[in-house]
Amino acid sequence: YRVGQALSGPLCATLLALTLANVGVMPTSHAAYGAVNKYLLPLSVPLLLFGADLRRVLLDTGRLLGAFGVGAVGTVVGTL
């Protein structure tokens, strides 16, 4: 049960699906995957962010958030 404490449920589900697809138990393409990627996946990100404690995120990330911001801005400027 230590694995369950270290890994989240969505991560375990993703790893299981990847393993099943690579072994051949689960198909690698299906019409339902398109609907999931087009509608459900974009909806899941805001729903996860609604549940986030932004104050704690800002305090816990510290300088890492600033480094990420600099990298993101550099990437955007580099593509222009």
Side-chain angles (χ1 to χ4, degrees), residues 57-71:
V57 169
L58 291 173
L59 291 174
D60 288 349
T61 56
R63 292 179 18 194
L64 183 62
L65 185 61
F68 174 78
V70 169

Side-chain angles (χ1 to χ4, degrees), residues 6-8 10 17 22 37-41 44 55 64 67 69 72 75:
L7 302 176
S8 66
N22 282 321
N37 287 334
K38 188 174 183 180
Y39 300 110
L40 297 179
L41 195 59
S44 67
R55 189 172 286 126
L64 183 62
T75 301

Side-chain angles (χ1 to χ4, degrees), residues 66-80:
F68 174 78
V70 169
V73 169
T75 301
V76 170
V77 169
T79 61
L80 299 177

